[in-house]
Amino acid sequence: MPEKSLFPAVADAVLTPAAEHLPLRRGPLLITSLLAATGGALIYLAPLAAVWRTAWPYALLFAALGAAQLGTVARVLARPTSRRVVLAAAAALAVLVVWLLTRGTPVLPGPSPWIPADSVIGFVDHICAGLQVIGVAGFGIVWVLGAVAASRGPDARAARRTRLRRLAGAVAVAPVTLVVLLATFVGFSGSSNGSAGARFPGDTVAPRHLPAGKRSTVEYCRIDGVPLAMDIYTPPAGATTPGRGTPVAMYIHGGGLALGDRKLSGLGASLSNHQSALFTPLRERLNANGYLVASIDYRLTPAAPWPAPLEDAKCAVRFLRAHAAGLGIDPSRIGVWGASAGGQLSSLLGLTGRQGGPGPYAEQSSAVQAVVDMFGPTDLNDFADAPQIIRFLLAAGIGTSTATRYAASPINHIVSDAPPFLILHGAQDEEVAPRQSVRFADRLRAAGVPTTFVEVAGTGHTLATAGQQPSPQDVADLVVDFFMATLVRQPPVEIPMAGAGGLGAATA
């Protein structure tokens, strides 16, 4: 008699009522699937308070999905059966469907509930989705293997449970388990911002009559339903000139457009590397010289596609002008500085600020009067010899489109009426080649833009290396002197009228 086909036997085993409660072994694949589902749930649950403040219906949906996922995981772990594994897979699949409808191919209305999770690492939501895919696939494989084992009978199952087979299975699944653990660590750290909590502040203040010598946090813009925070450091009492508006120095953090935030602690601060931009010493010295210092968050790529970061930086400048009276600032004296991607955005602000951008305060100008670019990339199509990790971050944040990279490159937007530039770059920078700043400075000068270029010897992708020349303190002196010369000693400049336009993809 011919041997019974495997697939009808599996179907019989699955369709019998007892199959719903078919016991399963807690093998490495099942454990890895449980880890993936748990890690994915932790990622979208960590910033739940921030999601509540931006889109409470999605917060309720995430809370329900999280309860379902963690509940099914606990039940499977307590007593793994076929039915419970199917329920765990269904819960992970539900999260994946929500991600696809709100992020992958947006169908549901905004604001996106994933933006808070992406506020420090701009692709955390992709990590969460990847973990859910691993969970669904893993649970499915476990269910199928259980059904196959059931079709062969208890004697066959016992015969196959040898130590060698179990070891081989554990070795085969180990790489996936490591990927799941690493993805969970990165994703949860990003969505919770390390130990600093969600990025979106819950206690912002009104932008007027801020206490002298203190830091205050305001919401400077809300674009596509996403609130954006700005820390304002006011000069101490006695440092300002009575009857005269305070000049402003606005700082834009780095991180490849896809990483970091304005905060001075937590994972976002580490990824931004504020130290390389000399933020704290410069902020202290600028405050002492009567400057108001502003530090902004912006939407990270790829969570918010380019040119979202530049649009947010322009909105920050317009916000400052719109609230000049309440902040006590001079709207005709606004400078900007940043390092790495922050330098790139600072340069683009100086070159394209007159074009304006989307968002509130459209009646105000986005133009700035001085730019300090610290080793910012100026040509995003010139990274062929950069380290692999830098090319990966560039591809993740901006994409691989030559047109988009062209549009996001400051060197392609030089205009003769740009404000003065101070460009600083480490001679040993391997992440952004110094030649980019050299060519950028040459092009600015050729267009008649007042430009100072300083190559700093003995340092790389930072301006805070002991022994560099000029020293970190000397670099800080250069920056402060530059802002004093361009924003204080010069007569007030005429603010250009606000204009429409933006920097999306362009043709080279």
Side-chain angles (χ1 to χ4, degrees):
M1 180 179 293
E3 183 179 354
K4 185 179 180 181
S5 174
L6 175 62
F7 293 105
V10 172
D12 291 342
V14 170
L15 294 175
T16 57
E20 293 186 359
H21 303 286
L22 180 68
L24 300 172
R25 189 171 61 86
R26 297 182 186 89
L29 180 57
L30 179 58
I31 296 300
T32 299
S33 303
L34 292 171
L35 288 173
T38 302
L42 291 177
I43 288 173
Y44 65 77
L45 289 176
L48 199 58
V51 178
W52 178 266
R53 290 195 292 270
T54 57
W56 64 265
Y58 285 121
L60 294 177
L61 176 60
F62 277 11
L65 290 172
Q69 271 209 287
L70 297 179
T72 55
V73 164
R75 286 170 61 83
V76 171
L77 192 60
R79 182 171 171 266
T81 66
S82 291
R83 185 169 183 268
R84 293 183 176 187
V85 165
V86 169
L87 291 175
L93 184 60
V95 176
L96 197 55
V97 169
V98 170
W99 179 82
L100 288 171
L101 294 177
T102 56
R103 181 70 177 89
T105 53
V107 174
L108 297 179
S112 170
W114 300 98
I115 290 294
D118 291 326
S119 62
V120 172
I121 300 175
F123 45 86
V124 159
D125 66 294
H126 288 80
I127 295 176
C128 178
L131 288 171
Q132 303 297 350
V133 168
I134 293 174
V136 171
F139 290 135
I141 294 172
V142 168
W143 180 80
V144 169
L145 292 178
V148 171
S151 70
R152 290 173 173 169
D155 294 338
R157 291 201 303 270
R160 291 178 178 273
R161 289 178 184 173
T162 64
R163 289 184 178 180
L164 183 60
R165 290 183 64 86
R166 291 181 182 179
L167 179 60
V171 171
V173 176
V176 180
T177 306
L178 291 176
V179 169
V180 167
L181 291 174
L182 178 61
T184 298
F185 174 76
V186 173
F188 180 74
S189 298
S191 64
S192 64
N193 194 3
S195 60
R199 183 183 76 173
F200 296 109
D203 54 351
T204 56
V205 299
R208 58 180 179 271
H209 308 306
L210 302 180
K214 301 291 184 180
R215 180 183 69 185
S216 303
T217 302
V218 301
E219 179 184 311
Y220 71 85
C221 284
R222 186 175 288 245
I223 300 180
D224 295 333
V226 179
L228 300 168
M230 171 189 291
D231 285 341
I232 294 180
Y233 301 82
T234 53
T240 58
T241 302
R244 184 178 182 183
T246 300
V248 177
M250 189 176 84
Y251 168 71
I252 306 177
H253 72 79
L257 301 177
L259 306 172
D261 65 9
R262 78 188 193 288
K263 287 188 173 182
L264 301 182
S265 61
L267 179 63
S270 300
L271 296 174
S272 299
N273 195 9
H274 304 303
Q275 181 181 3
S276 68
L278 304 175
F279 173 75
T280 297
L282 275 175
R283 191 270 302 167
E284 292 174 348
R285 293 193 54 185
L286 288 167
N287 278 159
N289 280 275
Y291 285 74
L292 180 145
V293 176
S295 176
I296 66 169
D297 279 333
Y298 52 85
R299 289 171 294 165
L300 301 178
T301 59
W306 178 265
L310 179 59
E311 292 172 352
D312 296 349
K314 288 182 175 183
C315 194
V317 175
R318 298 197 303 272
F319 165 86
L320 290 169
R321 287 205 167 94
H323 295 278
L327 295 172
I329 63 172
D330 185 342
S332 67
R333 303 177 190 269
I334 299 178
V336 61
W337 99 92
S340 193
Q344 171 194 356
L345 292 174
S346 297
S347 294
L348 287 170
L349 259 184
L351 298 170
T352 70
R354 294 171 183 265
Q355 298 175 16
Y361 314 111
E363 73 283 359
Q364 302 293 336
S365 171
S366 304
V368 295
Q369 285 67 58
V371 176
V372 177
D373 167 20
M374 297 177 170
F375 49 90
T378 63
D379 186 352
L380 300 189
N381 285 310
D382 182 21
F383 274 83
D385 57 350
Q388 183 67 37
I389 183 63
I390 300 302
R391 284 181 283 152
F392 167 78
L393 284 176
L394 181 61
I398 286 289
T400 57
S401 166
T402 301
T404 302
R405 292 189 179 194
Y406 181 95
S409 300
I411 201 167
N412 299 318
H413 300 281
I414 293 175
V415 290
S416 59
D417 57 353
F421 271 70
L422 170 62
I423 303 172
L424 303 126
H425 209 126
Q428 284 73 49
D429 193 341
E430 296 180 352
E431 298 180 22
V432 179
R435 65 175 179 269
Q436 293 207 21
S437 287
V438 173
R439 287 202 300 261
F440 186 46
D442 289 342
R443 297 270 188 93
L444 286 168
R445 292 193 190 102
V449 179
T451 303
T452 302
F453 172 66
V454 178
E455 186 173 82
V456 183
T459 190
H461 202 63
T462 177
L463 297 177
T465 302
Q468 69 180 37
Q469 290 297 327
S471 68
Q473 182 174 346
D474 291 338
V475 170
D477 290 340
L478 286 171
V479 174
V480 173
D481 290 345
F482 173 77
F483 278 142
M484 292 293 290
T486 53
L487 299 179
V488 175
R489 301 185 189 120
Q490 293 290 335
V493 299
E494 182 180 353
I495 303 173
M497 294 297 293
L503 286 179
T507 55

